[in-house]
Amino acid sequence: MITTLSGDTSRLRATVDFVKEQDTATLLRLLLPGLDGPELRALAERCGFSHAALLVFPPDEAALDATLADCGLVADAPPRPSVIVRERLAVRHKRSAAELDVGILRPAVVCRDGARRWVEVFTLTVPPASDLDTVAAYERERQHEAHVAFEVETPDPLVLRGLCAAFGRYGAVPDGGGYNPHENGTVFYFTAPADAKAGYRRVELYVPGDHRDVLAAHLDEHRARQPAETLLRLLTGAWTTQALAAFVRLDVADAMDRNAMDGNAMDGNAMDGKRAVGVAELARDVGASAPNLATLLRYLAMLGVVSEDRDGFRLTDTGTLLRADAEGSMRALALMYGGPFYESFAGLDHTVRTGQVAFEQRFGENHFDHFARDPELAELFDRSMAAGSRMFDPLPAHPVLTAAAAEGATVVDIAGGNGELLGRILSAHPRLHGVLLERPHTVETARRLLGAAGHTERCTFRAGDFADVPAGADVYVLSRVLHDWDDDRCREILRHCARAMTDTADLLVVERVLPADGSASLATAWDLHMMCNVGGRERRADHYARLFADAGLTLVDRTPLPLDGSVLHVRRTGPADTGSKV
């Protein structure tokens, strides 16, 4: 770090001088020794030196203004919340992020090369005799948050990955980062090489917009060097599940949307047509403690579910999915994963040790029977299944259904739930006829929903089990069914399908398929979930192919779907195999 004199004013003045003296190419050479020639020019074309940063600790707002003025700086806006620095300080000092009110100011500086750059000032107010004095003393000495920053000119994923790789080749090491929803920007932090000559050990790449997909790999590399932090984040995953569930149980998302719209006409500065909502107002509406609700919302802001500014909180696109009336709402999933399935996961070790289903140990019966005897829980389960419906978006365009539509064919949705998928298929293909086979109480729900969508005249409803699959249809659909069962029961189900199918009929099986190469996939997470809660499992494509073959069926092809789903196209191999286990 640059030479430190006494007090925040001296440190800030030194930072201003540093910013005025540097240019992009010179600073890159100082930070990354050995960088020169074409690669230096390429980096300088894609990112520009934008600012240097430091953390100061004023006792109050007036003292901060005086410090800025002494250094010739003028802040043209109030401080914005700093999500990333606040979280880093909380982890480093083992404190709640809620008690660390860290803001960001970016006063401009006109540099010697004529460029306009910034001094990024992080502020943590430390009143006299505050217990934050120890934090301030430690940070002034160590200067962990002091850094220099480059802004990426073209926020393209390939450019970002290339820049990160180039920094790595010249000795820079990933050192965290994050997405700040308050300013819609993504930060990549690096530790400079030991032989860097710039006087700063931390380097930031700042990218406008949300680039958490690229950031994930950067953070993974950082956490691999921080095993204790990695483990702590993993251990607190349950807190996230319950924070989301509490957010939904309290109807906060709906209240935020309602209040934001009610006040919109009075707020000319509202973003996306909706104003921010204050915590006190929200707390009154949902019947909650305002301080405790604020703590919950700050945690969810860190996760990107809400965003915070000086006027209050807003729903992000992610948080909007937790509204009851949102298109593609995932509210039911939050209640299910934070409710019955959350309770059963406490018995995961029992399942791993004994092979018995943890849900059955917790509730005394399998989950189908448990949900069936409680109408409200059964409805919640059906809605939670429908909440994953984005997986179905491309399915109506599958060639099998497109070809069947031209013939005015019949599609049977086996164990089709509340009719979400069948409704999509019938809406996409007005000449198709549908049959929905389900348990009696679910059939009535599907009848209402498909009737409301205008599909009653083209749809038949059958209450029954897998043994009741109707014969002679053109297309059969098994969506997220086989993963509920062990291999023997899957063979039985598939044999019922094979017996009902003609030689020209098609079967479409929708499942998450485990990757053969062990790469990251939602299917791996759901494999654990199915084992713990249902006694089922996810499978690899070759495993499904063997199950199909045992039932006299052949896997024709596999097409990817969203949310790591797949549709497996299956046809009859020959005469139906009745099998001894049916």
Side-chain angles (χ1 to χ4, degrees), residues 80-374:
R80 288 189 173 189
S82 171
V83 174
I84 300 166
V85 172
R86 183 180 67 184
E87 183 180 350
R88 285 170 59 89
L89 289 173
V91 172
R92 198 151 57 233
H93 296 279
K94 298 180 175 60
R95 289 176 176 259
S96 167
E99 63 179 303
L100 301 173
D101 187 14
V102 182
I104 311 174
L105 291 167
R106 291 197 179 91
V109 173
V110 177
C111 303
R112 289 188 172 85
D113 63 0
R116 182 181 174 88
R117 299 190 178 96
W118 289 264
V119 174
E120 186 171 68
V121 184
F122 298 111
T123 68
L124 175 60
T125 301
V126 182
S130 167
D131 67 348
L132 294 176
D133 278 337
T134 56
V135 174
Y138 178 91
E139 294 296 329
R140 282 192 179 107
E141 178 185 354
R142 304 297 178 91
Q143 297 293 302
H144 285 300
E145 299 308 323
H147 64 263
V148 289
F150 297 83
E151 184 164 344
V152 179
E153 306 292 342
T154 306
D156 175 87
L158 289 176
V159 171
L160 295 184
R161 291 188 178 95
L163 287 170
C164 290
F167 271 61
R169 281 196 299 275
Y170 287 92
V173 177
D175 187 27
Y179 170 68
N180 189 339
H182 307 297
E183 58 185 34
N184 190 28
T186 309
V187 171
F188 298 74
Y189 282 127
F190 295 85
T191 299
D195 55 349
K197 299 177 177 59
Y200 283 84
R201 291 305 315 280
R202 297 187 68 232
V203 185
E204 170 191 313
L205 282 179
Y206 176 82
V207 193
D210 186 347
H211 300 279
R212 279 177 282 189
D213 50 348
V214 181
L215 179 66
H218 179 80
L219 293 179
D220 285 345
E221 190 172 346
H222 166 62
R223 288 168 185 159
R225 295 176 167 85
Q226 306 288 332
E229 179 182 337
T230 298
L231 185 58
L232 187 61
R233 290 176 183 275
L234 294 174
L235 288 170
T236 59
W239 302 355
T240 297
T241 303
Q242 285 304 320
L244 293 169
F247 187 69
V248 167
R249 292 189 195 107
L250 292 168
D251 291 321
V252 182
D254 296 282
M256 290 179 75
D257 184 66
R258 183 169 58 250
N259 290 338
M261 292 303 293
D262 288 346
N264 184 44
M266 300 180 291
D267 185 0
N269 296 319
M271 296 167 54
D272 300 325
K274 296 180 181 179
R275 69 180 180 94
V277 184
V279 173
E281 182 180 2
L282 274 177
R284 286 193 301 270
D285 200 359
V286 303
S289 159
N292 291 357
L293 180 59
T295 298
L296 172 64
L297 290 172
R298 280 193 292 265
Y299 179 82
L300 293 174
M302 184 176 70
L303 302 176
V305 176
V306 298
S307 63
E308 181 184 8
D309 60 30
R310 59 179 175 172
D311 297 319
F313 292 88
R314 291 184 176 87
L315 286 174
T316 63
D317 291 342
T318 299
T320 296
L321 292 174
L322 296 174
R323 279 177 23 213
D325 62 349
E327 183 179 355
S329 172
M330 301 179 78
R331 184 178 189 276
L333 276 177
L335 293 172
M336 187 63 66
Y337 292 160
F341 289 148
Y342 187 88
E343 292 184 46
S344 62
F345 253 105
L348 178 60
D349 59 326
H350 174 80
T351 295
V352 174
R353 185 171 58 251
T354 68
Q356 298 169 1
V357 180
F359 190 99
E360 296 174 9
Q361 182 201 34
R362 169 65 183 83
F363 294 103
E365 57 189 340
N366 72 63
H367 92 289
F368 292 114
D369 292 340
H370 184 72
F371 294 156
R373 73 175 69 257
D374 183 336

Side-chain angles (χ1 to χ4, degrees), residues 2-47:
I2 48 185
T3 303
T4 302
L5 305 176
S6 60
D8 289 342
T9 301
S10 297
R11 294 191 302 118
L12 183 55
R13 188 176 292 121
T15 303
V16 171
D17 291 342
F18 181 89
V19 171
K20 288 181 176 180
E21 292 168 1
Q22 298 300 324
D23 63 75
T24 298
T26 301
L27 185 54
L28 281 171
R29 269 196 298 265
L30 291 172
L31 288 166
L32 304 174
L35 178 64
D36 211 340
E39 194 153 25
L40 172 62
R41 289 194 294 275
L43 281 181
E45 287 172 1
R46 288 168 173 80
C47 65

Side-chain angles (χ1 to χ4, degrees), residues 454-477:
H455 298 316
T456 303
E457 293 184 0
R458 290 193 291 134
C459 193
T460 302
F461 301 89
R462 289 200 178 192
D465 200 348
F466 296 113
D468 302 307
V469 176
D474 303 280
V475 181
Y476 293 83
V477 177

